[in-house]
Amino acid sequence: MRHLAIVGSGPAGYYTAEAAQKHWGDEIRVDIFDMLPVPYGLIRTGVAPDHQSIKGVSRRYEATALTENVRFVGNVAVGRDVTVPELQSLYDAVVFATGAPNDRALGIEGEALPNVFGSAAFVGWYNGHPQFAGLAPDLSGRHAVVIGMGNVALDVARILAKTEAEFAGSDIVAHALDALRAAAISTITIVGRRGPHQIMMTPKELGELMHLERASPRVAPSDLPPEADDALLEPGLRKSVAHLRSFAAFPESERADKSVEIDFDMFASPVRLLGKDRVEAIELERTRVEAGRAVGTGETYTVPADLVISCIGYRSSPIPGVPFDERAGRFANDEGRILPGLYCVGWARRGPTGTIGTNRPDGFGVVEKIAEDMDGGALGPRGKEGRAGFDRLAEEREIEVVTFRDWKKIEEAEARAAREGAPREKFVDVEAMIRARE
């Protein structure tokens, strides 16, 4: 029997477990560790609450989790409850599927002002992540600025713009829904350093902006390149740019009925955030694109900002003793190999790029590497204890492990607590999660 430890229960972790099952069949035992008592990582706390169809992929992970040779080990933090060397002594291979849970810093003056947040924190707040449940952003101002030109920026803007009725069927948590209900935001400015042909936003997410009840998107026609240039774009980006062109052509008469404006401010780079007791404005520099890069022109201007959310990327969390690439914000690795017996997958391997589905081939790829190393003798002979050894260690240390059966009880309690029409009301406190399994 071989034993595999996977650290992180998000898409990358479960796809790796699925790949291990398909490769070794009954000859493998997989333990999936997570610091939270609940599984699925960003499917639960990162995917927008109004995108329930995307969250449905968790059913595939549940099918893997319910098999005999895969086990969820929740409420166990590697580094706090068990060390990496201890895992290595118990398992033939350890795979880090920890994602990239930390915000990349803007690196500009004023970033520490109150009411300035990274997207990991802000998205975690409205999605009920225990770490960010107490964030309490002030939404009483009129002007919000969202920095970034990817889908996360679109998610944040859309959540800020929606009416309460538009959250029907979503699993946005109650504290966020209450705050958004009372929000006074009337302008949401999405800031991007480059132009329409360089955005990372996908057509589906952009198209949703045209169907918001009280909000209308706006793009300055002067920011759009000649329409003939769109023919050189790959199909997905060409569709996204077509949406931007429709935003620019949106009739002003139809905007009159909309109380919230989503303004795309392109060719603009953040210089500094302004304010005394809290953020009040953002200073931007006009840019131009040269060889695909944004170059400052020296022209600066300010935009009012009562709330700022930076959506410019994420970083993985370093783990003591595990080589880490500080510049790239991920584990130092060679196609998933970190050190003998240590591997990484998903965002922890490649950085925060790709879709949920990108993690599937990534998981299968790292399992192939592990198999090569096992067959080549690099991981030593069989005979490690695996889950039996960890269970003994957990009992000695009185670690309160949460199993997948426990998680199903938590899930049932969340479903019972849901407001009308919602699939669940998430627990936002770890202790409450643990109590719910009883």
Side-chain angles (χ1 to χ4, degrees), residues 2-4 16 19-25 28 92-95 335-337 341 343 363-380 382:
R2 289 291 194 177
H3 300 279
L4 177 64
T16 302
Q21 283 183 315
K22 291 189 175 180
H23 188 91
W24 288 289
I28 190 75
D92 295 291
V94 178
V95 180
E335 296 185 341
R337 290 184 175 99
Y343 304 83
F364 278 75
V366 80
V367 163
E368 289 179 7
K369 300 290 190 302
I370 296 170
E372 289 173 10
D373 294 346
M374 284 183 177
D375 295 342
L379 302 186
R382 299 171 186 263

Side-chain angles (χ1 to χ4, degrees), residues 381-392:
R382 299 171 186 263
K384 291 189 175 182
E385 293 182 273
R387 63 178 56 172
F390 174 78
D391 288 347
R392 186 178 62 254

Side-chain angles (χ1 to χ4, degrees), residues 152-388:
V152 175
L154 279 181
D155 285 345
V156 169
R158 188 180 67 254
I159 294 298
L160 288 172
K162 279 196 165 186
T163 63
E164 181 179 3
E166 288 176 290
F167 287 110
S170 79
D171 64 353
I172 190 168
V173 291
H175 66 242
L177 188 58
D178 290 343
L180 289 165
R181 182 188 299 118
I185 294 169
S186 59
T187 303
I188 302 164
T189 303
I190 302 178
V191 174
R193 294 183 303 115
R194 297 183 294 171
H197 281 187
Q198 291 81 36
I199 62 169
M200 301 298 288
M201 298 166 172
T202 51
K204 179 180 180 298
E205 281 67 26
L206 273 169
E208 289 181 80
L209 299 187
M210 290 295 286
H211 304 289
L212 296 173
E213 288 183 14
R214 64 175 180 182
S216 64
R218 180 189 294 272
V219 170
S222 59
D223 281 344
L224 294 167
E227 192 165 355
D229 293 355
D230 295 355
L232 301 174
L233 304 176
E234 57 88 14
L237 181 54
R238 189 160 60 246
K239 290 178 182 178
S240 293
V241 174
H243 280 305
L244 297 180
R245 293 190 184 280
S246 68
F247 299 165
F250 197 71
E252 289 299 322
S253 58
E254 294 185 25
R255 293 188 196 276
D257 297 329
K258 306 285 187 174
S259 60
V260 177
E261 182 171 291
I262 302 173
D263 184 22
F264 286 78
D265 193 351
M266 300 184 184
F267 302 104
S269 181
V271 175
R272 59 177 174 154
L273 297 169
L274 308 172
K276 295 180 180 178
D277 298 325
R278 52 173 289 165
V279 68
E280 298 172 8
I282 182 170
E283 182 179 329
L284 301 167
E285 180 183 13
R286 278 284 168 226
T287 65
R288 61 177 180 271
V289 175
E290 295 182 358
R293 297 176 62 85
V295 178
T297 64
E299 177 191 350
T300 61
Y301 61 101
T302 61
V303 171
D306 303 301
L307 168 71
V308 174
I309 303 104
S310 171
C311 308
I312 61 169
Y314 304 106
R315 295 172 56 84
S316 297
S317 296
I319 296 177
V322 182
F324 192 79
D325 185 336
E326 286 289 347
R327 183 174 181 180
R330 54 176 172 75
F331 292 106
N333 72 95
D334 180 10
E335 296 185 341
R337 290 184 175 99
I338 301 175
L339 291 171
L342 288 183
Y343 304 83
C344 56
V345 69
W347 283 7
R349 180 189 75 83
R350 65 182 190 272
T353 61
T355 65
I356 292 169
T358 307
N359 293 295
R360 187 176 187 274
D362 215 19
F364 278 75
V366 80
V367 163
E368 289 179 7
K369 300 290 190 302
I370 296 170
E372 289 173 10
D373 294 346
M374 284 183 177
D375 295 342
L379 302 186
R382 299 171 186 263
K384 291 189 175 182
E385 293 182 273
R387 63 178 56 172

